[in-house]
């Protein structure tokens, strides 16, 4: 599997490099920042080295966990109560996840736009370092680069705050699963085998990671965009 990932990544890498090297100077290199070209090979290209499979693997593992708990509740619980609780959880999850996913996508777009000019500026500064020293512009160059780095720090704070907002709300929403599982286990004590009840309560109380399912879905959708960017070159 790893060998296949490396082979796919290597082939796409060669094709992309060939396209860029043969691209016309006047309609590609003159209008495309160096940072954007570097970004293709440092970030976007990772998708073809197997990274696109990772969110799908995580989503499958988490979905299997949820299905185990869901199956226990459906078999041993009151279906009317379960349907009401699942409806409430779905309603809360939808209204929490929708604004987060939109904000997360916008912040990723902003972050992607912040690093490309920073790489371009660093590349141009390194190429012109002898001229910069000759005119004693080191402090000016460093100040501008630090200002650009400060923008990435502000972006990280905003992005992390958005994630914490989503994380807290989804965590407390997932506690409904734990309470419901404890209730069903208590109602079936002495009816269902103790081992089954122990596994059910363990799985049901370990649902605090449910927000990562949405994060992996968003991650996968963003990587599809990266695939499109590379293939459209």
């Amino acid at each position: 599997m790893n060998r296949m990932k490396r082979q796919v990544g290597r082939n796409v890498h060669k094709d992309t490099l060939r396209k860029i090297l043969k691209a016309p100077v006047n309609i590609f290199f003159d209008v495309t920042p160096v940072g954007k070209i570097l970004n293709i090979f440092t970030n976007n290209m990772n998708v073809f080295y197997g990274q696109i499979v990772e969110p799908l693997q995580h989503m499958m593992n988490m979905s299997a966990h949820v299905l185990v708990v869901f199956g226990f509740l459906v078999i041993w619980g009151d279906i009317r109560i379960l349907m009401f609780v699942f409806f409430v959880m779905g309603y809360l999850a939808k209204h929490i996840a929708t604004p987060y996913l939109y904000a997360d996508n916008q912040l990723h777009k902003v972050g992607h736009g912040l690093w490309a000019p920073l790489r371009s500026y660093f590349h141009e500064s390194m190429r012109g370092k002898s001229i910069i020293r000759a005119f004693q512009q080191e402090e000016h160059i460093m100040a501008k680069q630090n200002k650009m780095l400060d923008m990435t720090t502000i972006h990280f704070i905003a992005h992390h705050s958005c994630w914490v907002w989503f994380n807290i709300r989804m965590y407390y929403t997932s506690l409904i699963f734990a309470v419901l599982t404890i209730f069903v286990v208590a109602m079936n004590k002495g009816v269902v085998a103790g081992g089954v009840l122990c596994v059910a309560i363990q799985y049901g109380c370990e649902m605090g990671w449910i927000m990562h399912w949405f994060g992996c879905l968003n991650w996968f959708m963003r990587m599809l965009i990266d695939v499109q960017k590379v293939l459209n070159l």
Side-chain angles (χ1 to χ4, degrees):
M1 187 65 177
N2 291 332
R3 184 177 180 181
M4 185 176 67
K5 291 178 185 178
R6 289 193 298 270
Q7 185 63 39
V8 171
R10 191 179 299 114
N11 292 337
V12 176
H13 197 117
K14 288 180 180 179
D15 292 340
T16 305
L17 182 61
R18 187 181 301 110
K19 289 179 182 178
I20 290 178
L21 291 176
K22 292 183 178 181
V25 174
N26 58 336
I27 63 175
F28 182 76
F29 288 101
D30 287 347
V31 297
T32 306
V34 177
K36 187 174 182 180
I37 298 174
L38 293 175
N39 205 47
I40 292 172
F41 289 98
T42 55
N43 289 333
N44 299 343
M45 198 62 67
N46 292 333
V47 176
F48 296 97
Y49 283 94
Q51 193 179 71
I52 197 171
V53 182
E54 294 179 14
L56 295 177
Q57 291 176 336
H58 294 316
M59 290 171 64
M60 289 176 62
N61 292 335
M62 289 185 282
S63 298
H65 188 125
V66 173
L67 287 175
V68 170
V69 180
F70 183 80
F72 171 81
L73 295 176
V74 169
I75 294 173
W76 300 106
D78 189 332
I79 192 64
R80 291 170 297 179
I81 298 176
L82 293 176
M83 292 302 294
F84 174 75
V85 174
F86 291 151
F87 173 79
V88 172
M89 287 189 64
Y91 178 83
L92 291 174
K94 180 179 182 298
H95 282 73
I96 294 171
T98 300
Y100 164 74
L101 295 177
Y102 177 79
D104 186 57
N105 283 329
Q106 296 301 316
L107 287 167
H108 272 284
K109 289 180 182 179
V110 173
H112 191 274
L114 287 174
W115 279 104
L118 183 59
R119 291 190 177 100
S120 296
Y121 185 75
F122 182 75
H123 172 76
E124 293 166 2
S125 300
M126 293 302 294
R127 289 186 62 185
K129 60 183 181 299
S130 57
I131 300 174
I132 292 171
R133 288 182 178 180
F135 287 90
Q136 298 180 353
Q137 293 293 312
E138 295 94 333
E139 292 185 4
H140 173 74
I141 296 298
M142 288 300 299
K144 186 174 179 180
Q145 183 167 311
N146 289 336
K147 183 179 179 181
M148 298 173 76
L149 286 170
D150 288 341
M151 293 298 294
T152 63
T153 303
I154 294 172
H155 168 263
F156 171 78
I157 294 172
H159 206 162
H160 184 68
S161 300
C162 180
W163 167 249
V164 171
W165 180 91
F166 175 67
N167 200 339
I168 292 174
R169 284 158 178 77
M170 285 301 296
Y171 172 75
Y172 284 109
T173 302
S174 68
L175 290 180
I176 299 176
F177 243 127
V179 173
L180 184 61
T181 305
I182 293 172
F183 174 76
V184 173
V185 167
M187 295 297 294
N188 288 276
K189 184 179 179 181
V191 179
V192 183
V196 175
L197 296 180
C198 289
V199 172
I201 201 167
Q202 181 180 0
Y203 271 58
C205 293
E206 292 180 353
M207 301 285 286
W209 44 259
I210 196 68
M211 73 290 295
H212 293 290
W213 193 92
F214 295 93
C216 288
L217 175 63
N218 220 23
W219 182 20
F220 177 71
M221 299 301 292
R222 287 196 307 272
M223 284 195 288
L224 290 180
I225 296 174
D226 289 337
V227 170
Q228 187 178 8
K229 287 180 180 178
V230 174
L231 296 181
N232 287 342
L233 284 175

